Amino acid sequence: MSADVSVGVKRLKLLIGILAVSNLVLGVLSFRFLVTLDADYNELIDRSLPTINHLRGMTSESSVTHRSLTFALSAQQPERQAGYLKTAEQALAKEERHIRDVTPVLDAELGQQPSRA
């Protein structure tokens, strides 16, 4: 009976050892995976922020253009209409600059040939 207990204790110790080693290996692999995932995510954010910033600016300028054109169409006085049209023209020029800035970046990201604007 003592031999059976001794064999059982040895098996239990071996099982605990295997479990400890497998947990350590799993922990190390998980840590490596998380570090790699974090690096990939940081790279994605670094590449995306300039594009997102350009798109945000383009959206803002597009809103200004839209508002100015709406006011220009509804204005009764020619001088106010001219002022709104001037504002719309300036916003449209800024919007075109944003498009020129972001197009090469998007083309590079998508692996396309640069488009001519």
Side-chain angles (χ1 to χ4, degrees), residues 36-107:
T36 304
L37 187 65
D38 183 55
D40 291 346
Y41 182 73
N42 285 334
E43 181 184 338
L44 176 67
I45 293 297
D46 289 342
R47 282 192 338 243
S48 300
L49 282 179
T51 304
I52 291 170
N53 189 37
H54 284 300
L55 291 174
R56 182 200 54 79
M58 203 167 68
T59 303
S60 172
E61 297 305 327
S62 180
S63 297
V64 171
T65 304
H66 183 261
R67 256 193 323 268
S68 298
L69 287 175
T70 301
F71 289 145
L73 291 173
S74 64
Q76 299 297 322
Q77 300 158 344
E79 56 275 349
R80 289 185 76 188
Q81 196 173 34
Y84 288 132
L85 288 174
K86 180 105 173 127
T87 303
E89 184 181 358
Q90 291 168 348
L92 190 58
K94 287 181 185 177
E95 194 175 338
E96 288 174 351
R97 256 182 281 145
H98 284 294
I99 291 171
R100 276 195 306 273
D101 290 345
V102 80
T103 300
V105 175
L106 290 176
D107 287 344

Side-chain angles (χ1 to χ4, degrees), residues 9-26:
V9 169
K10 284 182 183 179
R11 282 186 175 170
L12 183 61
K13 287 181 180 180
L14 179 64
L15 184 62
I16 290 173
I18 290 171
L19 184 62
V21 169
S22 70
N23 280 343
L24 285 172
V25 169
L26 185 62

